[in-house]
Amino acid sequence: MCPLGGSLALAHLGIMTKQPALFVGHGSPMTMITQNPAREGMEAVGRRMPRPNAVLVVTAHWTTHGETRLTGGTAPRTVHDFRGFPQELYEIEYPAPGSTELAARAADLIGERAVIDEDHGFDHGVWGVLLPMFPDADIPVVAMSVDMDLTGEEHVALGRKLAPLRDEGVAIVGSGNIVHNLMMWRQTAGTRPDWAVAFQQRTNNAIKGCDVAALTSHAKDDNAAQMAINSGEHYIPLLYPLGASNEQDGVGIFNDTIDGSLSMTSYLWGDAEIAANLQ
C-alpha cells in the first residue's frame, strides 16, 4: 500500500464507485487472437473489477515530447499500429465511445501541459488490454500519451494528479511491458534470460515494498534495467497507476510471466480482496 495518491474529489461522470489503478502488460497483438494465459488473466481481472464509469489508458504506443495528449473525439477509430501479422488482427475493431468530459477533466487535473487531440484513435496499447477486460466496448475511454521528455519522478507526479479520477469512477490503466526489448526478441524467444528475470523480480519487490525511487531511477551501468527498459516507452506507463495509488490500496500481481525479452507482468492497486486473489 503506497501513500501516493490524492484525496477525494466530486464525481463528474455518474455514480461514484472507487476504481482500481492498473498496469497491464499488453505484449504482442497475437495475444488478442489466441487463447493464452495472459489473455485469460486480463479477462479475469475485468470480471472481478467493479464496472467503471470510464477508463483512462496511458499507452506506450503514443509518445509525445513536451506535452501530454488526450483523445478528445466522441468515437475514436481503432488503430492497427503494427505490421506483418495475420489479417484477422487488422479486422479487429474496438468501438468504445470516447468521453469529452473525461478528457476535459483529466486535462484540468494535468494542467497547462495537457492537449486534447480530437483526431487520435485507440492504438493496440489501448484496445489490446481493454478488449479482453471489457469486450463489449461500451465503457467510455480516453487514451493518454507518454511524454518522453519527463523524468520518472515527473511521470509519477502526473499519476498523482490524476488520482482523484479513481474516486469519480474512472479506472486508470497504464499499458506497456516492464520487460520490453524487441531487438532481443528473436534470439531470446522461449527462454528466461537472467537479466529479464532479475529485473522482473526487482520490479515486483519494489512494487510490493512501495520503493518509488527504485522504480523511477535506474543507473546507466545497471545492465538488467537497461536491457529490460530499452527505449523506455513501454515501462513508463507503469509510473502512472503507481502515482495514482494510495495508502488504502492493496496491490496484486497477475500475468507474471517472461518469454525471452518480454514480460507480461501486470499490477492492480485497489480493493485489497481483489488484489489478493488475482493469482
Side-chain angles (χ1 to χ4, degrees):
M1 294 183 285
C2 300
L4 294 173
S7 59
L8 292 176
L10 295 175
H12 291 260
L13 296 166
I15 298 172
M16 184 171 66
T17 302
K18 179 67 177 276
Q19 287 294 316
L22 303 95
F23 174 76
V24 183
H26 64 245
S28 166
M30 291 298 293
T31 304
M32 295 300 101
I33 59 171
T34 57
Q35 200 58 38
N36 54 80
R39 178 171 180 158
E40 291 168 3
M42 295 182 214
E43 291 169 347
V45 169
R47 290 192 297 269
R48 293 172 185 170
M49 285 175 53
R51 179 181 169 85
N53 291 334
V55 184
L56 177 68
V57 183
V58 183
T59 170
H61 288 267
W62 190 10
T63 59
T64 51
H65 292 274
E67 61 187 15
T68 298
R69 299 184 78 86
L70 299 143
T71 55
T74 57
R77 69 190 186 283
T78 302
V79 180
H80 304 93
D81 53 329
F82 41 76
R83 294 183 295 175
F85 287 91
Q87 181 60 31
E88 181 181 355
L89 269 171
Y90 300 96
E91 295 172 356
I92 289 178
E93 295 290 326
Y94 192 75
S99 173
T100 57
E101 185 175 4
L102 174 56
R105 173 71 172 135
D108 183 61
L109 291 169
I110 291 168
E112 62 182 15
R113 64 175 300 101
V115 176
I116 294 178
D117 187 329
E118 296 183 358
D119 298 321
H120 201 83
F122 296 151
D123 58 60
H124 95 266
V126 180
W127 58 263
V129 298
L130 296 187
L131 180 59
M133 292 176 66
F134 307 115
D136 293 336
D138 58 350
I139 298 173
V141 176
V142 168
M144 187 171 122
S145 74
V146 171
D147 182 356
M148 299 301 291
D149 292 346
L150 298 181
T151 66
E153 293 82 359
E154 288 169 331
H155 289 294
V156 172
L158 276 186
R160 189 176 298 119
K161 287 185 175 183
L162 293 167
L165 294 176
R166 295 179 57 199
D167 295 296
E168 299 169 17
V170 178
I172 297 175
V173 179
S175 175
N177 298 97
I178 63 166
V179 176
H180 183 272
N181 189 327
L182 293 186
M183 293 179 63
M184 299 290 293
W185 170 247
R186 291 186 182 277
Q187 65 194 82
T188 61
T191 71
R192 287 171 52 86
D194 290 345
W195 58 265
V197 173
F199 188 76
Q200 176 202 46
Q201 293 178 347
R202 186 196 314 169
T203 303
N204 287 352
N205 289 336
I207 291 290
K208 290 184 285 187
C210 301
D211 189 347
V212 177
L215 295 163
T216 56
S217 180
H218 301 93
K220 292 183 179 180
D221 61 355
D222 182 342
N223 181 65
Q226 298 306 321
M227 294 284 283
I229 295 175
N230 193 25
S231 52
E233 76 288 338
H234 276 71
Y235 178 84
I236 292 170
L238 166 66
L239 303 179
Y240 285 82
L242 175 68
S245 67
N246 62 48
E247 63 272 13
Q248 283 80 44
D249 289 328
V251 60
I253 303 175
F254 62 102
N255 288 354
D256 195 21
T257 62
I258 292 176
D259 182 0
S261 59
L262 184 70
S263 171
M264 296 295 284
T265 303
S266 304
Y267 308 101
L268 179 146
W269 291 264
D271 180 271
E273 183 176 352
I274 295 174
N277 291 286
L278 290 178
Q279 290 199 148

